[in-house]
Amino acid sequence: MRSHLGVVGRQLSTLRAKTVRNGWICQSCRTSYGRRKLFSTTSTALQKAVEKPYYVTTPIFYVNASPHVGHLYSMLIADVLKRWQVLKGRHAILSTGTDEHGMKVQRAAELQDVHPKALCDANSETFRDLAKKANISNDVFIRTTDPKHREAVEHVWLRLRESGYIYETKHEGWYCVSDETFYPETMVEKRVSPHTGKPFMASIETGNAVEWTEERNYHFRLTAFRDRLLKFYADNPNWIMPSNRFAEVISWVENNLEDLSISRPASRLEWGIPVPDGPDQTIYVWIDALINYITVAGYPQWSDHEKAWPADVHVVGKDIIRFHSVYWPALLMALDLPLPKRILSHGHWLMSNQKMSKSTGNVVNPFFALDRFGVDPIRYFLIFNGAMAQDADYDNAFIVDRYKKGLQAGLGNLLNRITRPKNWNVRDAVVSMCDGQPVHLLPPLFESHRRRLTSIVGKVEAHMEEELNPSTALKKIMIVVYATNKFLTYTAPWDAAAVGDKAAVDWAIYYAAETLRIAGILLQPFIPEKAGQALDRLGVSQDKRTLQYAEMYADDSYGTPMVPLGEGSRNSLFPPMPVQD
């Protein structure tokens, strides 16, 4: 290690002698070393005055059963996307809530011998509690039993009826209560129950049982929008992420599109919003549910969160992509309303590579997980290990492993190595390094790390904005953290301090501290509490934690801890877990 110290120390001593003082640096060097500013300080107020709020939504969740880890995952993705926009200085709105009408809820209430509204009230509150416990920064929690939402649904119905998009007819088909949808003949098959050995008809897509239904109800002229939908898809190739789901949607519209049944006889389905001009029918639960997104935006008066529509991103599970990418845009076209800008469809969570199911007893209770492992460790694990294009595997051992490697040995260890030693001072290094910037080439090790730091924001931004992939963005941040631990080991500032080489110490500590500062800023959307505590330990002021400060030399005021650093592993930012499996 001392051989590395000697080479680096001599390079840095020479470099330090050629440093320009008083913070001045020539224009050519600014261009070479500085990353472009993300914001114009002169136009920020004007931008905020005219900019539409960023509007991101989760699906609204059925209240017939308790929340599971998939619900939490949808909330987390939307929360990270919203917090990223806030980090950029943009006003953002996150909406989540509960879907409280339909046959599933009606039957669940019957089985429990309670009124559907009582069931909805209790279970909706559980979802609200989950959002609070997981530190979800939702601005709105909508319930489809809210009077304001009913007003919006009735208004939509009457507009569609007046425009000629609704007609009454007899409907025959396979209805799935679990999926709350009709399936065409081509999308059902006969299966045998592994538990009873009895045959049953099931949806090919979901495997859930379907039942043959004949009834008279209202239909929406979905087929009238086939060409407009396909043209919209062609004109907006990045509308659905990931791209493999988009291909499935296009194929479905080309080959399976039918007019949509949008009501059920009230004699079969009482629990829902009655058709305004035909109370013997109940509005189809998915029509009711999808309208929540414009209810939140203030429809039909557009008074609340004005100008928030269209949504910037709908976050949905892969099992409900068709409802959001076929039915929903067609309805909006019929209403002459703008379509959502993007739809992000994520995979499911498995356990031991098997679908979670109550019958097999492998359903994860998100409240238990948050209590056992902590809020930010679970946020970190789900975002890091979760996937968009594929499903992901959930295991307690995976959570512990990710915590140990990423948070404890990665971020936490780096923070301790920089802030706790007595033989240097972070604040001194910051003052020394920000007093002047180099005008000549850095030693290769430092130049490589500088490039890593100056490029990280652009990489994270691309994954968050263009790809809508928080998982990949988080991994890019952690790669820099891991690399900095190696950088610190190679530069060995403890050896430089032992021989009195202050220049070598200042350079190594400053570059590592800059990594922590920039990474801490970028990690705030993912692990907000722990990222904030890391920045507290580093002494970064509250007003310098936005994205515009996530660049080298952007903050010369940090380095004095705002909180006690403590000693030993128990007082670390990420202490040993009390559970190990």
Side-chain angles (χ1 to χ4, degrees):
M1 190 60 67
R2 289 188 179 275
S3 61
H4 296 324
L5 168 66
V7 173
V8 173
R10 285 192 297 274
Q11 291 172 328
L12 291 177
S13 295
T14 302
L15 183 62
R16 192 65 176 161
K18 295 181 179 180
T19 297
V20 177
R21 290 295 182 184
N22 299 322
W24 181 87
I25 181 170
C26 69
Q27 185 58 44
S28 62
C29 291
R30 284 186 187 276
T31 303
S32 173
Y33 282 84
R35 184 176 60 82
R36 66 176 178 84
K37 291 288 184 181
L38 293 171
F39 305 100
S40 168
T41 56
T42 59
S43 61
T44 300
L46 179 61
Q47 288 175 346
K48 288 186 176 180
V50 299
E51 191 175 34
K52 181 188 88 66
Y54 184 90
Y55 177 30
V56 58
T57 70
T58 74
I60 53 173
F61 307 112
Y62 280 127
V63 292
N64 63 304
S66 300
H68 55 67
V69 72
H71 299 132
L72 175 58
Y73 186 50
S74 294
M75 288 182 180
L76 282 177
I77 293 172
D79 184 58
V80 172
L81 292 175
K82 181 220 167 163
R83 287 179 183 270
W84 174 260
Q85 296 298 323
V86 173
L87 191 68
K88 291 172 61 179
R90 185 175 178 183
H91 177 45
I93 298 166
L94 167 56
S95 175
T96 190
T98 45
D99 184 358
E100 304 183 16
H101 292 136
M103 188 65 74
K104 278 202 295 189
V105 176
Q106 181 173 300
R107 290 187 178 180
E110 290 170 354
L111 288 172
Q112 298 180 39
D113 195 26
V114 298
H115 190 276
K117 186 60 164 62
L119 176 71
C120 292
D121 289 344
N123 287 357
S124 178
E125 196 62 28
T126 305
F127 280 93
R128 193 189 297 268
D129 290 343
L130 178 61
K132 182 178 181 180
K133 190 173 187 67
N135 199 7
I136 305 301
S137 59
N138 58 294
D139 304 273
V140 180
F141 189 96
I142 186 172
R143 300 179 57 183
T144 55
T145 51
D146 292 341
K148 184 177 178 181
H149 177 67
R150 175 169 178 163
E151 177 188 348
V153 173
E154 291 174 342
H155 188 86
V156 167
W157 183 279
L158 293 173
R159 279 203 59 189
L160 293 175
R161 186 69 179 264
E162 291 168 1
S163 301
Y165 290 117
I166 292 179
Y167 64 94
E168 189 175 9
T169 187
K170 181 180 179 181
H171 186 84
E172 298 179 349
W174 295 100
Y175 190 79
C176 178
V177 174
S178 295
D179 303 333
E180 291 282 18
T181 189
F182 278 100
Y183 286 107
E185 194 75 37
T186 57
M187 297 184 69
V188 299
E189 64 182 8
K190 182 177 286 189
R191 296 190 179 183
V192 176
S193 170
H195 302 294
T196 66
K198 295 181 179 180
F200 70 102
M201 297 300 294
S203 159
I204 295 174
E205 276 188 334
T206 65
N208 293 324
V210 297
E211 54 192 41
W212 183 257
T213 302
E214 298 180 7
E215 60 190 33
R216 193 162 191 86
N217 54 27
Y218 290 102
H219 280 59
F220 171 65
R221 299 186 190 277
L222 182 59
T223 52
F225 295 91
R226 181 181 184 277
D227 292 342
R228 285 182 64 183
L229 286 170
L230 292 174
K231 184 178 187 306
F232 176 79
Y233 299 155
D235 292 343
N236 299 273
N238 295 317
W239 188 58
I240 297 176
M241 298 297 286
S243 58
N244 64 317
R245 304 260 161 72
F246 207 166
E248 295 170 4
V249 167
I250 293 171
S251 175
W252 196 88
V253 171
E254 289 176 337
N255 300 302
N256 295 295
L257 200 66
E258 298 178 344
D259 282 355
L260 180 65
S261 172
I262 57 171
S263 73
R264 303 295 307 277
S267 57
R268 289 184 173 177
L269 176 61
E270 295 180 87
W271 185 240
I273 299 175
V275 170
D277 50 359
D280 59 334
Q281 294 275 320
T282 303
I283 295 174
Y284 175 42
V285 64
W286 265 106
I287 301 299
D288 173 357
L290 289 166
I291 292 168
N292 97 85
Y293 302 126
I294 54 176
T295 302
V296 170
Y299 186 86
Q301 289 85 18
W302 302 109
S303 55
D304 298 333
H305 302 305
E306 193 169 2
K307 298 180 181 177
W309 190 260
D312 289 84
V313 184
H314 287 324
V315 176
V316 301
K318 68 176 186 179
D319 55 326
I320 55 174
I321 185 67
R322 184 172 71 250
F323 302 95
H324 288 81
S325 58
V326 180
Y327 302 163
W328 183 223
L331 287 167
L332 291 169
M333 288 175 179
L335 295 168
D336 292 322
L337 293 178
L339 274 56
K341 294 183 178 181
R342 307 284 294 281
I343 294 178
L344 176 59
S345 170
H346 63 75
H348 289 168
W349 282 91
L350 312 176
M351 183 170 283
S352 300
N353 292 313
Q354 292 184 341
K355 183 179 179 180
M356 292 188 189
S357 170
K358 289 182 181 179
S359 60
T360 57
N362 65 349
V363 175
V364 175
N365 183 319
F367 290 98
F368 292 171
L370 291 165
D371 284 336
R372 185 179 191 186
F373 298 108
V375 173
D376 277 352
I378 287 294
R379 288 177 65 107
Y380 180 85
F381 166 74
L382 290 177
I383 295 297
F384 198 104
N385 279 43
M388 299 301 157
Q390 299 87 30
D391 294 333
D393 210 25
Y394 184 100
D395 192 293
N396 289 341
F398 297 164
I399 300 172
V400 173
D401 183 69
R402 192 61 66 199
Y403 179 85
K404 286 181 176 179
K405 290 181 179 178
L407 297 178
Q408 195 174 49
L411 183 63
N413 181 45
L414 180 60
L415 185 64
N416 287 343
R417 295 174 83 187
I418 292 300
T419 60
R420 282 184 168 181
K422 307 299 184 183
N423 45 354
W424 61 70
N425 182 282
V426 175
R427 179 62 192 153
D428 288 347
V430 171
V431 171
S432 176
M433 293 298 296
C434 289
D435 190 34
Q437 295 187 36
V439 296
H440 293 284
L441 290 177
L442 290 167
L445 180 65
F446 284 81
E447 174 62 18
S448 174
H449 199 69
R450 182 197 67 79
R451 290 182 179 178
R452 191 177 288 120
L453 288 182
T454 55
S455 66
I456 183 59
V457 171
K459 292 177 180 178
V460 172
E461 202 165 25
H463 292 301
M464 292 295 292
E465 302 277 352
E466 298 167 22
E467 299 178 14
L468 297 178
N469 196 329
S471 177
T472 308
L474 178 57
K475 289 170 184 174
K476 293 295 182 183
I477 300 170
M478 294 308 298
I479 285 173
V480 174
V481 172
Y482 300 144
T484 306
N485 268 313
K486 293 180 180 179
F487 165 86
L488 202 61
T489 298
Y490 190 93
T491 55
W494 42 87
D495 288 342
V499 297
D501 190 347
K502 189 174 185 305
V505 172
D506 286 348
W507 278 88
I509 296 304
Y510 180 72
Y511 268 62
E514 281 290 80
T515 300
L516 280 169
R517 186 180 65 82
I518 293 170
I521 290 171
L522 295 177
L523 284 170
Q524 289 175 106
F526 302 90
I527 48 173
E529 184 177 355
K530 289 295 186 180
Q533 290 174 5
L535 294 172
D536 288 344
R537 290 180 179 227
L538 204 57
V540 179
S541 63
Q542 291 288 339
D543 61 341
K544 294 184 178 180
R545 299 184 181 188
T546 56
L547 194 61
Q548 70 183 104
Y549 289 97
E551 60 178 41
M552 290 196 72
Y553 298 102
D555 182 1
D556 62 1
S557 64
Y558 75 100
T560 303
M562 298 175 176
V563 294
L565 298 178
E567 296 181 357
S569 60
R570 292 292 173 186
N571 292 312
S572 296
L573 183 62
F574 297 101
M577 275 192 169
V579 294
Q580 298 296 320
D581 58 76

